[in-house]
Amino acid sequence: MSLIAPSILNSDFLTLGRTIEMLNESEADWVHLDVMDGSFVPNISIGIPIVEAVKRVSRKFLDTHLMIVNPEKYVEPFRNAGADLINIHYEACRDKDIKAIFKQIRDTGAIPAVAINPDTPVEDIFDLAEYVDMILVMSVFPGFGGQKFIETTYDRVAALRKFIDENSLKTMIQVDGGVSPENAVKLKAVGVDVMVVGSFIFRSAEPLKTIYELKSLVS
Ligand code: DX5
Ligand code: ZN
């Protein structure tokens, strides 16, 4: 069974409270919050006050995807805002001690995770798998919702799955970007544990029903 983590990035922020209440009632396992700084990615999205507001209403596990430079500066603020999992980008930490940041995240009580972009060789992060609870293999270039799924993701996930299994690790694999019923079954088959789904849910006529259908597909 794979978990479904709706990304609210493409939802209507004017009615965010109602969206979070809908997600509470839904089959969604987590809520995925996309934090963008206009520097690591060419877009600015939500920040700490929004995570705090979501936390006040949400009964789901909050998965925060930090697409920001210098993530170590914001670990405690996001944890205090209510993040259950804090995911930092490998590419934002090339000149940093990333394992120290994973420990910093764990010390706050949050779960550490690492994300990699589609053009970073997946083998680059194999050595980090034992230090995090989850690896996010991006299936679009981060920055915007509604992009087309990149097909090479299947092979990248399969290679990572093989490494994790061969080394008897428990690291979860997440995929984010362009996920829909068209690719969800195959993603589950190659070993994805958590699927982030944004626009497919929030552009549908009945998001609650769409989540239910997606969940049935990967159960
Ligand atoms: C992209 C974000 C994703 C995105 C997913 O930078 O990290 O979480 O919102 O949305 P869809 O499913 O529309 O690709
Ligand atoms: Zn994301």
Side-chain angles (χ1 to χ4, degrees):
M1 187 192 72
S2 310
L3 305 183
I4 298 291
S7 157
I8 62 162
L9 186 63
N10 277 21
S11 70
D12 180 357
F13 286 147
L14 204 54
T15 54
L16 183 57
R18 286 217 296 274
T19 299
I20 300 303
E21 282 164 3
M22 180 279 288
L23 292 173
N24 280 344
E25 300 310 317
S26 79
E27 300 289 316
D29 297 282
W30 297 358
V31 174
H32 182 88
L33 303 172
D34 288 302
V35 177
M36 303 180 186
D37 65 353
S39 186
F40 181 70
V41 287
N43 194 9
I44 299 178
S45 59
I46 66 168
I48 294 154
I50 303 294
V51 177
E52 257 170 20
V54 168
K55 186 69 177 183
R56 285 204 296 273
V57 178
S58 184
R59 294 197 302 268
K60 303 281 178 175
F61 180 93
L62 296 188
D63 164 19
T64 48
H65 178 192
L66 304 189
M67 288 161 273
I68 63 174
V69 296
N70 302 321
E72 72 282 3
K73 286 190 185 170
Y74 301 97
V75 166
E76 287 78 13
F78 277 105
R79 174 59 177 166
N80 293 338
D84 293 300
L85 179 149
I86 297 178
N87 191 353
I88 60 172
H89 263 267
Y90 173 71
E91 298 83 4
C93 302
R94 287 197 192 273
D95 58 352
K96 298 177 191 288
D97 181 355
I98 197 166
K99 291 177 194 164
I101 309 176
F102 298 149
K103 182 171 183 308
Q104 183 191 352
I105 295 170
R106 221 181 267 289
D107 286 347
T108 68
I111 291 172
V114 65
I116 54 161
N117 283 344
D119 58 355
T120 300
V122 71
E123 295 75 18
D124 283 12
I125 47 86
F126 281 4
D127 285 350
L128 300 178
E130 64 183 289
Y131 299 95
V132 289
D133 289 27
M134 188 179 82
I135 293 174
L136 165 54
V137 179
M138 288 300 298
S139 43
V140 296
F141 283 90
F144 300 91
Q147 302 181 75
K148 194 177 175 303
F149 178 85
I150 298 173
E151 298 284 323
T152 50
T153 306
Y154 299 119
D155 288 347
R156 289 161 60 75
V157 168
L160 179 59
R161 178 86 268 159
K162 188 164 176 277
F163 177 84
I164 288 171
D165 292 351
E166 280 176 0
N167 290 278
S168 306
L169 297 172
K170 291 201 174 71
T171 323
M172 291 183 287
I173 302 177
Q174 184 179 52
V175 159
D176 180 9
V179 178
S180 73
E182 266 180 50
N183 48 38
V185 173
K186 193 166 169 192
L187 286 171
K188 185 191 167 204
V190 291
V192 172
D193 300 292
V194 187
M195 298 182 202
V196 177
V197 190
S199 48
F200 186 79
I201 291 172
F202 289 102
R203 283 180 189 162
S204 73
E206 291 180 74
L208 190 74
K209 194 168 157 221
T210 305
I211 295 169
Y212 177 82
E213 287 167 358
L214 275 165
K215 188 70 194 165
S216 316
L217 210 55
V218 298
S219 287

